[in-house]
Amino acid sequence: MRLISGLTASIVVAMFLFGPLAGAMAQDAKQTTDETKFIIGVIDMEAVLRGALAKKNIDDQVAQLIKRLQEETAKDEEKLREADAELGRQRNIISAEAFEAKRVAFFKEREKAQRWLQAKQKAISDADQKAKDVFQEAMRKIIIDVANEKGISLVFRRRELVLTPKRLQIDDEVLAALNKSLPSVKVEVVWPVEP
């Protein structure tokens, strides 16, 4: 009995001494949570990319460039096939040394055409990447602007979340602003100098 009353007295003394401190700590904790409230936004990047006019514009330009390159390549390949067929016809007509010289020249021409094609493909790829970088930077700035306008402090990608209330999604606002400010991006190819 004496142990219980001694324990009770210790608790009463502790509450008396530390009670005001505990209240102050609870108030500080409440103030800290009020100051660290986060407003969350969610963006469906895939939906924005699907609906972005500038992204479609870039893809269309690159597709046209690739189509044009394929047409040029088909013509070059046809010329090489004709030269190879002609070389095959001359095999038994000309001397072995002359044939070997023409064969070496043909293979050099074919390698040159392959390097030229690779250089053009790289030029298109580089131009595509530069245009997409311009688009990505514009989209990043617009996401930040929309977040700031709505007082959003954290933006998550939709694909990283399992469940998202519609009220947290900002992709419609971002897409509208993006299409208004950047409807197209010019894909500027720096073509290589022919070797």
Side-chain angles (χ1 to χ4, degrees):
M1 183 74 155
R2 190 165 195 193
L3 179 64
I4 294 176
S5 58
L7 184 60
T8 305
S10 297
I11 292 173
V12 170
V13 171
M15 288 180 66
F16 178 74
L17 292 175
F18 299 112
L21 181 59
M25 289 172 58
Q27 187 174 355
D28 285 347
K30 183 183 182 318
Q31 184 178 6
T32 302
T33 56
D34 287 344
E35 291 173 359
T36 57
K37 282 186 181 177
F38 293 105
I39 299 176
I40 297 172
V42 177
I43 186 163
D44 185 345
M45 293 298 285
E46 289 77 18
V48 172
L49 292 174
R50 279 191 308 272
L53 297 175
K55 174 78 168 68
K56 290 177 186 174
N57 178 261
I58 292 168
D59 292 344
D60 290 346
Q61 290 177 69
V62 171
Q64 287 298 318
L65 290 165
I66 290 171
K67 181 181 177 187
R68 191 174 84 199
L69 182 60
Q70 288 171 337
E71 291 168 356
E72 289 175 12
T73 302
K75 290 177 187 176
D76 292 343
E77 285 175 351
E78 182 60 32
K79 288 178 186 175
L80 286 171
R81 274 192 293 278
E82 290 171 4
D84 188 35
E86 179 61 29
L87 187 61
R89 284 189 290 274
Q90 293 180 1
R91 175 175 224 134
N92 296 324
I93 299 173
I94 60 176
S95 70
E97 295 83 23
F99 175 77
E100 183 61 24
K102 286 189 175 197
R103 189 184 71 76
V104 169
F106 169 75
F107 282 110
K108 283 184 180 178
E109 187 64 29
R110 189 174 74 180
E111 288 175 10
K112 178 182 170 186
Q114 288 173 342
R115 283 192 308 272
W116 181 237
L117 173 62
Q118 290 170 349
K120 285 183 173 183
Q121 288 171 332
K122 184 176 182 331
I124 292 172
S125 177
D126 290 348
D128 180 33
Q129 188 58 53
K130 284 180 186 175
K132 286 179 180 172
D133 289 347
V134 168
F135 169 76
Q136 290 285 343
E137 181 60 22
M139 184 171 60
R140 186 187 70 76
K141 287 179 181 177
I142 288 171
I143 291 169
I144 291 169
D145 289 346
V146 169
N148 287 338
E149 288 171 14
K150 293 182 152 237
I152 295 172
S153 49
L154 292 172
V155 177
F156 292 99
R157 291 177 183 255
R158 171 69 180 100
R159 71 171 182 222
E160 296 168 357
L161 303 171
V162 176
L163 182 62
T164 307
K166 181 71 176 158
R167 62 184 169 79
L168 297 180
Q169 294 181 347
I170 62 170
D171 30 291
D172 291 339
E173 294 94 336
V174 169
L175 182 58
L178 184 60
N179 285 342
K180 182 178 180 184
S181 71
L182 191 72
S184 65
V185 176
K186 177 83 172 122
V187 177
E188 297 181 21
V189 180
V190 179
W191 295 107
V193 178
E194 188 169 0

